[in-house]
Amino acid sequence: MSEGRTARDPGGTPSPSTAPASLGALLAALRLGRGWSQLRVAEQLTAAAGLHTVSRHEISRWERGERVPGDFWLGWLAVVLDVPSAELALAAEAARRGPARRAAPAPAPVEGQADLLRLAHAWLADPAGSLGRVTSAAAPTGGSGAPERAAAAREPAGARAEVGSGGSASARDRAGAAPSHMDTLTGWLAGARAGGGRRAGGASGRRGGGADPDALAATVAVLRRQDDLVGGTDLAGPAGRELGAALGRPEGVPASRRLLGLLAEAAQLTGWLAADAGDPGGALAAYRTALAAAADAGDRPLAAHVLGSASHLLAGHGDPRGALLLARSGMAGAGRAAPATLRALLLHRVAFAAALCGERRAAHDALGQAATAAARRDPAQDPPWLYWLDEAELSAMTGRCMAALGRPLRAEPLLTAAVSRTGQPRTAALYGAWLARVCLDLGEVERAGEVAGDALLDAVRSGSARAAAEVVGVRPRLAAHRDVPEARRFAELATACRPYLPEVARTGAPKAAQIRSD
């Protein structure tokens, strides 16, 4: 598994900018992270300030950017939302400067993002509890016919979106379409809950439905290793069929903790592949299923890892604030039993998101804690889903974070070492894109063009839409140096390679991943 994507500047170029997030997006992210409505924020503000002059509509205007709260309400917002007042003041100042000098508006939230944030908040409030009631609360209750009610009973709410498709499972069923792999995963979780979940089957170890835990574990292990070599665009479909076959059909009987944990691992891997194939909405749907299954299995470290994966996704789609909320939730909920390797990974998620948010001190603190945790890691104690995180990967992640913090001299040697690793074209492409930006920051345009060209070829080899989009994002910065031969050669190579890149990298439309079971 490889890392790396970041927010984009107004020109479309990924940039480690430390400019404050827009005030409206920041307020909305903080609110959603607590699972609050706009009305709840208004109630909390009026109660704290002792003034009843703020309504839900005013909160909505602030979040849409139509109005900027004054210093008085900014102070109380900092108290209610538990955020440094200086951060809100900085974002408000940027908002008051007007659209001509304001940062580019935040991209639209990824479909299902709010559901995942609510689910993460519920899990953090009770990491040892089941999320069954939380996911069921969002199920449609009024006016639907029998097919919709049957689909709602089969699927946990918040994980109903299909990977690679915008329609609901019930709509596809009515149309006679084949069920997706996500239907199988979410149906399994719903069936396990209907049969008693971990409380009924955890002690006895009964198997649910037609799934063989050993076969599912073997399938997940093989697919993880394939992910090292094959990009999500090519692997997502076959992976869905393999996992669907290993799961079988849910029969509504209790599932053991082991089987629920394996379901969580399968859903996490599905989300990772969907993200790599350029389908963020499908990835978040899978992560919601993974979080619910891990919670039902009582596996706090795995649930925390799922939130870390989702944080990585949001950081790459222009929502560093949401990414930071998820990373911190995962870190807080991992528990004392979390292995040191996982703690190092989660702290890196926190550091990267904090760097993209402009929270330099928080990012450096998290990096320091990650180094301490990494020094204590014992690979023999790590779960199988952490096999890929070694010292070289941790070093590369540190380099990427240093680049996001605007410290190219610290980042360059770490990223150079990451790019030199052989046999992993996606890793070379992702970190190569970051290295090219670092070289540009250092004024080494010639080397930046060479590194970007190598990364582009690695992106084509990898079949990763995520890696391809990352490298293509360097092109606008190099285009400003067309007088340099290496920059011109990269532009020519990018044009020649365009037909061979995953479609999502060429169009920007997240539609490459289609994980189906036929």
Side-chain angles (χ1 to χ4, degrees):
M1 296 186 181
S2 301
E3 305 294 328
R5 284 200 66 179
T6 182
R8 297 180 181 275
D9 63 20
T13 307
S15 170
S17 172
T18 57
S22 73
L23 179 63
L26 177 58
L27 293 176
L30 290 168
R31 173 176 63 80
L32 291 172
R34 285 162 173 73
W36 288 0
S37 64
Q38 292 175 339
L39 177 60
R40 177 75 181 277
V41 174
E43 291 173 346
Q44 293 290 325
L45 276 177
T46 55
L51 297 175
H52 297 276
T53 57
V54 171
S55 67
R56 178 187 68 79
H57 300 291
E58 189 66 14
I59 303 299
S60 177
R61 293 186 186 99
W62 291 347
E63 292 186 358
R64 294 199 305 270
E66 295 179 359
R67 294 184 182 179
V68 179
D71 292 340
F72 176 82
W73 287 117
L74 283 174
W76 285 113
L77 281 167
V79 173
V80 169
L81 298 175
D82 191 22
V83 63
S85 58
E87 183 174 346
L88 292 182
L90 191 62
E93 181 183 355
R96 293 190 185 103
R97 286 199 295 262
R101 298 179 61 188
R102 191 179 305 164
V110 179
E111 181 181 359
Q113 179 175 331
D115 288 338
L116 179 61
L117 286 169
R118 282 192 290 269
L119 202 62
H121 182 73
W123 174 76
L124 184 58
D126 183 15
S130 171
L131 295 178
R133 291 184 179 180
V134 180
T135 53
S136 298
T141 56
S144 63
E148 290 83 356
R149 287 194 297 271
R154 187 174 67 247
E155 301 171 327
R160 197 169 295 130
E162 179 197 4
V163 178
S165 172
S168 68
S170 58
R172 291 192 314 278
D173 290 344
R174 291 196 303 273
S180 73
H181 175 47
M182 280 306 301
D183 294 339
T184 305
L185 291 172
T186 55
W188 248 108
L189 183 56
R193 285 171 173 163
R198 71 168 188 258
R199 289 181 294 277
S204 64
R206 291 175 59 191
R207 294 177 181 178
D212 179 347
D214 292 333
L216 180 57
T219 299
V220 171
V222 169
L223 291 174
R224 281 201 203 100
R225 297 293 180 176
Q226 290 178 340
D227 176 60
D228 290 335
L229 303 173
V230 182
T233 305
D234 297 321
L235 185 58
R241 289 189 288 272
E242 291 286 339
L243 289 172
L247 279 168
R249 293 181 59 83
E251 297 177 3
V253 299
S256 66
R257 284 192 177 215
R258 183 190 178 203
L259 189 53
L260 285 168
L262 288 170
L263 174 64
E265 291 185 41
Q268 188 276 333
L269 178 59
T270 297
W272 186 265
L273 293 175
D276 196 54
D279 181 9
L284 290 187
Y287 288 148
R288 292 196 300 273
T289 297
L291 179 59
D296 283 1
D299 193 334
R300 292 176 63 175
L302 178 54
H305 176 49
V306 171
L307 291 182
S309 300
S311 169
H312 182 255
L313 184 151
L314 293 187
H317 283 271
D319 184 13
R321 178 58 54 185
L324 186 57
L325 289 171
L326 288 178
R328 285 175 170 163
S329 296
M331 189 65 209
R336 296 182 179 180
T341 304
L342 176 62
R343 295 182 64 82
L345 174 61
L346 293 174
L347 286 163
H348 268 285
R349 302 294 192 211
V350 172
F352 185 54
L356 295 177
C357 289
E359 297 188 13
R360 299 179 63 85
R361 181 172 181 177
H364 280 292
D365 287 346
L367 280 177
Q369 295 174 43
T372 300
R376 298 172 180 170
R377 59 188 294 267
D378 179 6
Q381 301 298 321
D382 290 342
W385 37 266
L386 274 180
Y387 78 93
W388 56 277
L389 190 62
D390 54 18
E391 292 184 8
E393 185 68 26
L394 288 168
S395 178
M397 292 168 67
T398 300
R400 179 187 61 182
C401 196
M402 287 297 174
L405 285 167
R407 304 190 65 179
L409 289 174
R410 292 284 301 276
E412 189 276 332
L414 299 174
L415 292 173
T416 297
V419 170
S420 65
R421 296 165 66 183
T422 59
Q424 297 184 17
R426 177 176 53 195
T427 298
L430 288 166
Y431 289 124
W434 278 95
L435 179 58
R437 296 187 201 104
V438 164
C439 290
L440 287 169
D441 291 340
L442 293 172
E444 299 181 10
V445 179
E446 295 84 357
R447 187 185 176 200
E450 294 173 351
V451 169
D454 292 340
L456 185 61
L457 293 177
D458 281 322
V460 172
R461 297 185 188 103
S462 72
S464 167
R466 180 166 58 103
E470 190 74 33
V471 180
V472 170
V474 182
R475 186 173 184 177
R477 288 191 65 182
L478 280 169
H481 303 278
R482 293 299 296 267
D483 57 321
V484 178
E486 289 81 1
R488 285 200 305 272
R489 281 197 289 271
F490 173 75
E492 295 167 357
L493 181 62
T495 300
C497 287
R498 191 171 185 274
Y500 305 99
L501 294 172
E503 181 180 2
V504 68
R506 301 196 304 269
T507 65
K511 60 185 179 182
Q514 293 185 351
I515 304 177
R516 300 178 181 272
S517 57
D518 292 349

